[in-house]
Amino acid sequence: MSITINAAGTRFKLDTRHTSYAFGVGPSGYLNHYYYGAKLPDVPETFDALDRDFLGLSFSPYRQLKHIEDSRNIALQECATHAAGDYRISSVIVCDSLGCNSTDPQFVSAKVFPGRPAIEGLPHARVNDDPTVETLEVTLRDPATGVEYLLDYTVFPEQDCIVRSMLIRNASAGRVVIERAMSFCLDLNNMDYDLVQVHGSYGRERFGFSRTPLHTGLQTIFSSRNSSGHDHNPAFALMEKGATEDHGGVLGGMLVYSANFSIEIEGDPFFRTRIVGGIGNDFSWTLESGETFRTPEAILTWSSDGLGGMSRNFHDMLRDHLIRPRWAHQERPILVNNWEGTYMNFNREKLLAIADSAAECGVEMFVLDDGWFGHRDDDHSSLGDWFVYEKKVGSLKTLAEEINRKGLVFGLWFEPEMISEDSELYKAHPDWVFTAPGRERTYGRHQLVLNMGIPAVVDYLFDTISAVLRSAPIAYMKWDFNRQPAEISNPLLPPERQKEAAHRFMLGTYELHRRLLEEFPDLLIEGCSGGGGRFDAGILFYTPQIWTSDNTDAIDRLFIQSCTSLFYPCSAQGAHVSVCPNHGTARTTPLETRGLVALAGTFGYELDMTKMTAEEKETVRQQCAMYHQYHHLVLNGDQYRLADPWDGRCCQWEFAAKDGSEAIVIDVLFRQIIHPGTRFVRLRGLNPDAMYREIGTGRVFSGAFLMNAGITLKPDGRDYIAQLLHFKAV
Ligand code: DGJ
């Protein structure tokens, strides 16, 4: 049992393997938060000891004279509104039929059930027949309106994660308008944390992270790009002061959502912390009597093993309970993608020649990227026209079959949400474009965005894309999304409901994913967004892998892949070997190094393989063999970031089997210094008492030795060199 309720039904405790979360009903009927952190054995009532004293002269309002200490502005809460004088940020605001937004949800009841509530239309954590997963559903009701608020806490004990979301049910007779509906609200009783957030831009998505002490006032991580975006990511960590990669308490959170989001962290005047996160601002949603609205989910975790522990919790959670089970623990085919090899300048012969060279080297899938449809030879035309450009590639069916005969499966690029002005689709449906009526439109990469909030658009895309997928043996789809919408409206909605348009756009995209996967359950989809501009748990629900960045430079990738791994597993990060000098950075790195960096992701090549020398092809053959030898550790193991590239010299990633029987370390030295001293690698996650053989040298060490003394790395005078170390229990 991971959920415990006291006999009175008013105190709740959620336990995972290593964490506890406790809250209860306060004297005025509100939900007060008590604790989230390392696991405690105590019963739920014990947490009453953490009830706050009245914090003094703040003139904070209170509801009942007899419960002065239950002032909303003082209490730590699970669902925060400003109704009764809580002047901090709110997690929910619902305007009643009189236009009053004094939302005031109070406790009604709670129940526990196995599994989790059904979620329709939104990506969500999956139970996957795990009998340990349980949900606590707490019902609150606003006595003035009758509107109900169901707070769901689904506990995933093995992964140390709690998934939260809220369902709002309009049980009143009139219409209400949701002005804010955050996925979670979490109040902590102190402010002694550093906020960690990842940041970047196109070509350097999640290139770095900041760690800044919390302060009083508001700090926000957000996107208003109608996509989670290249710049920020819907995820955060709060690290206890002094916590490191390996030690100390870290609270992590991420949203299972891919559009506008806001994660707001407020330090209050009493030096406590409130965190709310969910759909971004500039949102509202009308609920007629009887209707419901479900927020996206948020996944929360706590680890006492530093930032690395938090990452591993998220990796396990996403692999075991979010990514499609068909692919989550399944090795993906090694691919060659023609994009950096040819861009849109290709013909059938060229594609087949690349496939020939790829087949020679052990590559298993050929992906035809942008430029195969409509009359597309450059980025000015044809988006939306999902029919084959036969003059350029001939029959898609026979092309795919010919590639199959070479021993490769076939994959194809699409950009479903986009439309070019120069397209048949635009001629037929200019009204399907996202616009701000009466205003000049914007372009991005010469293209416009389809309004996915219009059901007919989703129908059209499903019909045309599924027709292509049916027409040829297509095992993989790359789903690109190159520009972010700027004009947001929905012609099907009245003026007062226009703030639903952005969320409806996202729901339309999710619906298209759902319908395509319903028809093609084995299809492997790779998410992509002008590189890695939509890398989030919402998209990962549908696409088991996401292209991490258009920047394929092996050295920049150390930063991008390390930082992405703070929240997302390497087995979901698209990583390819490309040509040198690199098209983005002009840097030249050894093919071996490029291979080892890509081996820490979903492995593949993105270059014109016909131009490779015999020696290079031999290296590719070896790399493909290495992928099959080691990838199970990336796919199912624990990742340890042993050395951070931000320290300026090298990067080391370890992937260890969960039972400690085997581990690899990928070490990349990217900056030599003169008289450098000794470089070590010290492993983690091994069994201290087991003995391990180093594959290659045959040396034998105890796990304790490898984790404490470590081993010395051979000096090498060159920049950008990489090595892979492999240890197996004997
Ligand atoms: C952006 C992607 O990130 C690239 O990999 C490639 O697919 C291009 N779009 C194609 O237009």
Side-chain angles (χ1 to χ4, degrees):
M1 282 282 286
S2 52
I3 299 174
T4 321
I5 306 183
N6 69 342
T10 54
R11 298 286 181 274
F12 313 101
K13 183 167 174 252
L14 318 176
D15 287 314
T16 67
R17 267 174 59 166
H18 303 104
T19 74
S20 295
Y21 185 116
F23 64 100
V25 185
S28 312
Y30 301 102
L31 287 185
N32 290 344
H33 178 83
Y34 298 140
Y35 176 79
Y36 189 27
K39 189 163 187 165
L40 304 175
D42 308 74
V43 296
E45 290 91 336
T46 314
F47 292 86
D48 287 1
L50 296 172
D51 250 345
R52 301 312 136 211
D53 289 334
F54 182 55
L55 289 177
L57 298 170
S58 70
F59 295 106
S60 295
Y62 43 88
R63 255 286 146 69
Q64 298 187 30
L65 264 179
K66 61 179 194 290
H67 296 314
I68 292 177
E69 79 287 0
D70 204 33
S71 159
R72 291 297 84 201
N73 202 40
I74 302 299
L76 302 179
Q77 304 195 54
E78 289 292 307
C79 176
T81 72
H82 54 219
D86 183 348
Y87 303 116
R88 295 166 288 179
I89 42 173
S90 303
S91 61
V92 57
I93 301 175
V94 175
C95 217
D96 65 23
S97 51
L98 301 174
C100 171
N101 66 8
S102 267
T103 318
D104 195 20
Q106 296 178 24
F107 179 74
V108 177
S109 62
K111 66 174 182 194
V112 176
F113 53 89
R116 51 152 316 134
I119 304 280
E120 273 167 32
L122 281 170
H124 56 269
R126 307 169 198 262
V127 176
N128 288 344
D129 296 328
D130 180 342
T132 65
V133 177
E134 281 188 308
T135 298
L136 169 68
E137 187 166 86
V138 182
T139 301
L140 311 176
R141 183 180 299 124
D142 186 334
T145 60
V147 176
E148 290 175 348
Y149 303 82
L150 275 60
L151 308 187
D152 285 310
Y153 300 77
T154 303
V155 184
F156 294 82
E158 290 305 308
Q159 293 72 23
D160 282 326
C161 285
I162 295 172
V163 171
R164 290 189 55 177
S165 72
M166 174 170 62
L167 180 99
I168 302 178
R169 178 183 294 134
N170 182 6
S172 77
R175 164 188 296 182
V176 300
V177 179
I178 300 169
E179 293 184 340
R180 168 174 267 243
M182 289 307 201
S183 304
F184 74 99
C185 167
L186 180 59
D187 278 354
L188 307 174
N189 68 4
N190 67 82
M191 230 175 65
D192 302 330
Y193 299 93
D194 294 333
L195 170 64
V196 170
Q197 65 183 101
V198 300
H199 54 80
S201 177
Y202 172 72
R204 49 186 178 81
E205 299 87 341
R206 299 164 300 287
F207 198 82
F209 65 94
S210 60
R211 177 175 180 167
T212 46
L214 289 187
H215 52 74
T216 53
L218 199 56
Q219 293 153 85
T220 307
I221 310 169
F222 79 102
S223 169
S224 56
R225 289 177 170 269
N226 303 295
S227 156
S228 47
H230 301 80
D231 312 358
H232 306 291
N233 197 268
F236 69 95
L238 289 184
M239 297 180 71
E240 283 182 345
K241 293 289 180 201
T244 63
E245 174 71 17
D246 297 311
H247 303 288
V250 180
L251 191 164
M254 69 168 60
L255 299 172
V256 187
Y257 193 53
S258 318
N260 293 340
F261 71 88
S262 188
I263 296 172
E264 299 164 13
I265 299 120
E266 180 177 358
D268 79 8
F270 305 104
F271 310 107
R272 292 102 44 91
T273 307
R274 169 165 294 172
I275 318 156
V276 300
I279 296 178
N281 300 321
D282 220 12
F283 155 84
S284 76
W285 196 274
T286 296
L287 281 186
E288 301 294 347
S289 177
E291 287 182 346
T292 60
F293 177 85
R294 161 111 23 214
T295 69
E297 291 186 337
I299 306 176
L300 302 177
T301 192
W302 170 272
S303 173
S304 301
D305 296 328
L307 200 56
M310 177 207 76
S311 301
R312 287 185 289 281
N313 289 353
F314 278 134
H315 298 175
D316 286 345
M317 180 66 196
L318 298 177
R319 290 183 302 195
D320 295 346
H321 288 291
L322 185 112
I323 295 174
R324 283 161 54 213
R326 165 71 180 83
W327 287 104
H329 292 280
Q330 172 73 43
E331 216 174 87
R332 325 280 158 78
I334 300 172
L335 66 80
V336 60
N337 176 306
N338 72 308
W339 180 244
E340 281 199 32
T342 64
Y343 296 102
M344 289 187 225
N345 184 18
F346 57 80
N347 56 30
R348 188 178 176 102
E349 288 63 45
K350 181 75 204 174
L351 301 176
L352 290 170
I354 295 177
D356 274 332
S357 305
E360 264 177 57
C361 301
V363 170
E364 298 156 327
M365 174 160 72
F366 180 89
V367 176
L368 173 52
D369 209 282
D370 194 355
W372 60 268
F373 52 92
H375 59 277
R376 188 153 162 107
D377 289 312
D378 59 40
D379 53 19
H380 288 79
S381 83
S382 304
L383 293 167
D385 290 352
W386 301 114
F387 47 82
V388 183
Y389 187 0
E390 294 208 343
K391 259 204 231 154
K392 191 171 179 180
V393 295
S395 142
L396 190 71
K397 180 171 188 293
T398 59
L399 176 68
E401 286 170 350
E402 223 171 304
I403 286 175
N404 287 173
R405 279 196 293 278
K406 297 178 195 297
L408 284 81
V409 293
F410 181 73
L412 198 58
W413 179 97
F414 290 87
E415 195 176 8
E417 295 109 313
M418 298 296 156
I419 178 167
S420 305
E421 270 181 347
D422 177 4
S423 68
E424 297 304 313
L425 181 62
Y426 187 80
K427 277 185 216 146
H429 281 293
D431 52 318
W432 282 359
V433 173
F434 243 151
T435 46
R439 291 186 169 75
E440 202 180 325
R441 62 173 49 146
T442 60
Y443 299 83
R445 205 196 190 198
H446 320 291
Q447 64 201 49
L448 302 167
V449 187
L450 285 169
N451 193 337
M452 303 294 287
I454 301 174
V457 172
V458 177
D459 290 344
Y460 166 82
L461 291 171
F462 174 73
D463 291 345
T464 50
I465 294 172
S466 60
V468 176
L469 295 176
R470 256 179 251 126
S471 73
I474 298 172
Y476 160 109
M477 168 180 180
K478 180 169 171 187
W479 184 313
D480 210 341
F481 177 77
N482 277 299
R483 70 153 292 194
Q484 285 131 5
E487 296 80 30
I488 307 294
S489 66
N490 188 315
L492 306 179
L493 296 173
E496 68 278 11
R497 295 187 68 158
Q498 287 300 316
K499 285 189 176 181
E500 297 178 19
H503 185 55
R504 286 186 186 275
F505 171 78
M506 201 64 243
L507 294 179
T509 295
Y510 290 151
E511 172 63 4
L512 182 58
H513 269 287
R514 190 197 64 73
R515 287 173 67 179
L516 288 171
L517 287 172
E518 190 175 64
E519 175 157 355
F520 306 98
D522 290 330
L523 186 68
L524 172 61
I525 309 182
E526 176 150 355
C528 177
S529 171
R534 201 161 61 173
F535 206 123
D536 56 67
I539 290 295
L540 266 186
F541 178 79
Y542 305 98
T543 79
Q545 58 198 60
I546 301 179
W547 181 228
T548 319
S549 176
D550 276 356
N551 185 343
T552 52
D553 174 275
I555 305 309
D556 280 2
R557 277 296 187 120
L558 299 175
F559 295 80
I560 292 169
Q561 292 173 208
S562 284
C563 198
T564 304
S565 80
L566 288 188
F567 298 102
Y568 307 102
C570 286
S571 59
Q573 297 184 30
H576 300 169
V577 174
S578 63
V579 78
C580 277
N582 181 272
H583 289 184
T585 64
R587 189 180 282 128
T588 295
T589 52
L591 180 55
E592 290 75 9
T593 300
R594 283 174 269 153
L596 286 182
V597 173
L599 277 169
T602 67
F603 186 63
Y605 293 83
E606 183 153 341
L607 42 77
D608 182 350
M609 294 190 100
T610 62
K611 295 189 176 144
M612 291 186 122
T613 63
E615 198 188 332
E616 286 172 329
K617 282 186 180 165
E618 181 48 36
T619 305
V620 171
R621 243 174 250 123
Q622 288 165 14
Q623 290 172 341
C624 291
M626 283 164 83
Y627 170 79
H628 292 303
Q629 192 180 352
Y630 303 124
H631 193 67
H632 63 284
L633 296 170
V634 177
L635 196 58
N636 305 314
D638 284 330
Q639 186 190 6
Y640 296 87
R641 292 177 293 262
L642 303 180
D644 271 344
W646 297 279
D647 292 342
R649 207 165 157 222
C650 72
C651 176
Q652 290 173 346
W653 298 316
E654 176 188 344
F655 298 94
K658 290 218 169 264
D659 62 2
S661 60
E662 188 182 4
I664 55 167
V665 175
I666 294 171
D667 166 71
V668 185
L669 176 64
F670 57 88
R671 187 168 180 275
Q672 285 289 346
I673 52 173
I674 194 159
H675 300 154
T678 312
R679 285 205 316 126
F680 289 99
V681 59
R682 289 195 184 88
L683 282 85
R684 302 260 180 279
L686 303 181
N687 176 354
D689 302 323
M691 300 305 288
Y692 292 84
R693 172 162 294 115
E694 185 185 16
I695 309 302
T697 66
R699 296 185 296 176
V700 176
F701 306 93
S702 70
F705 189 97
L706 290 171
M707 291 194 290
N708 293 291
I711 59 167
T712 312
L713 297 170
K714 277 194 235 98
D716 190 314
R718 295 166 300 156
D719 273 340
Y720 311 143
I721 53 157
Q723 58 191 315
L724 183 141
L725 311 175
H726 183 199
F727 302 90
K728 259 190 149 168
V730 290

